Amino acid sequence: MLKPAEIIPCFLALLAAWRRGLIITACCLTALFALYTLAGFYLAPWLISKYAPQYASEKLGLQLEPGRVKINPLLFTVETTNFSLKEKGQPVFALKKFFVDFEAASLFRRAWTFADLVVEDPAVHLVIEADGRLNLAIIAGKLPKSAEPEAAAKELPALLLRHLKLSGGSLRLTDNSGEKPVELNSAPVAIELKNLSTLAKERGAYTITAALPDGGKLGWQGGMTLNPISASGKIAITGLKAATIFDFLQDQVNIAKPAGVISLSADYDFSLPDHKPSLLLNLNKLALTGLTLAGKASPQPILGLNSLKVAEARIDLAAREIQLHGIDLADCRIALRISPDGANNWQDLIKDQPEEPEKPGWLVKMAALNVKGLAVSFADESRPAPIGLEAQLDLLLSGASLDSGHKKAALSRFAVNGKTLNLTRGPAGKGQKAKA
């Protein structure tokens, strides 16, 4: 037991030791903080700038220019500017600015949380190669594979993205899989997401706008969950040129580039129960104006359509069913010509396609089809005395259905109102006699 005279010296000795330990601890913490700060501000950006291009070149065969990389280890932010990724000198991906803000407080929460993710002026070049593979899929296949087999069912990591904003984006798609290369460009593209999360039943919101080729516009907004995967919302397309769609179908058809403009608006509800896609699409409006089709062999149009309107329709992907409540067509022109050898100008519009495995059929129901101002032009030059028919008609169909799976069709009502009908008969050819 300490004597009274020894208590004060012992206390002072303990205090001095504690102070020395505190100073040493403070110095160590200060040194660690300084190293952490220096590593975050200077070392990490230098390592990324030095070794990322080397890795991309050796492992992926790509040329990577990381631009200027800035990391703030105190605010937990990362920013890079003027980033670009190229393959054989051709751009694959580039952006002017990428910024991400990680919330340090999320280290103590149930999900990794990112307050902001900003992407400015991203440019993506997608290429469908001659063998049908996408260039990004080829690049992803070059990434190192894990030695351990993946678990059959793996939960998504807990993530929360409070806000994502993409602005000034551009998309370039080149399709080299057909007879002729096809290119599509879309700019600008803007995307905004709020509260996107992998947490169970946490719903986020998104808004997407994009300029389509030749003046078309895309508007897309709604909400989604990632656990489970589901999405619902609205989509609207205006001013989409029929020629834009044709560019990707020209290897399957024998028609010239068509004229026409498409606009539509629809609500949708998508989910993935038991890993099987389920999509309900409620079409509120579909309009097609100024459509003109002509075969490649002849410049004369075989189909003209001034206006097509679908007021309401429902498409159920899981049930493979389409319900059309009403279709209105106005000022239609159809030209059918049978040549002297018996061939007609419609039979070769679709090129022969390789046989595919038989798939479940679709059930299509149409409540009404109303055609106003149908002009029919028919010419048969295969007969000894050619005949021609010119007609102006109005048509009305109701209660129609088509079951492609069971190869059944039904029609409740069919009405024709003939306005004009002209039948002509030409003289018999040389060595032929006209027969009644």
Side-chain angles (χ1 to χ4, degrees), residues 40-110:
F41 277 111
Y42 302 104
L43 181 60
W46 180 80
L47 291 174
I48 293 173
S49 300
K50 179 175 177 60
Y51 291 105
Q54 181 180 336
Y55 178 87
S57 176
E58 294 178 355
K59 301 295 184 180
L60 306 177
L62 303 174
Q63 300 83 54
L64 187 149
E65 297 177 8
R68 185 182 179 186
V69 181
K70 295 168 62 178
I71 298 176
N72 189 324
L74 306 180
L75 299 178
F76 292 90
T77 62
V78 177
E79 179 180 333
T80 181
T81 54
N82 300 320
F83 174 94
S84 71
L85 187 65
K86 298 180 181 180
E87 183 177 22
K88 299 177 181 178
Q90 297 298 317
V92 175
F93 178 73
L95 53 80
K96 181 180 179 181
K97 177 183 177 181
F98 174 87
F99 173 83
V100 61
D101 181 4
F102 176 73
E103 290 188 356
S106 68
L107 294 170
F108 310 101
R109 297 176 183 170
R110 58 175 180 159

Side-chain angles (χ1 to χ4, degrees), residues 214 240-251 253-262 288-296 299 301-305 349:
D214 302 319
L240 175 63
K241 298 293 191 295
T244 301
I245 301 175
F246 166 80
D247 287 340
F248 293 91
L249 299 176
Q250 59 180 323
D251 292 332
V253 296
N254 285 314
I255 62 174
K257 181 172 289 192
V261 180
I262 304 169
L288 172 60
T289 58
L291 177 66
T292 302
L293 293 181
K296 287 184 178 180
I302 61 174
L303 175 65
L305 182 59
L349 295 182

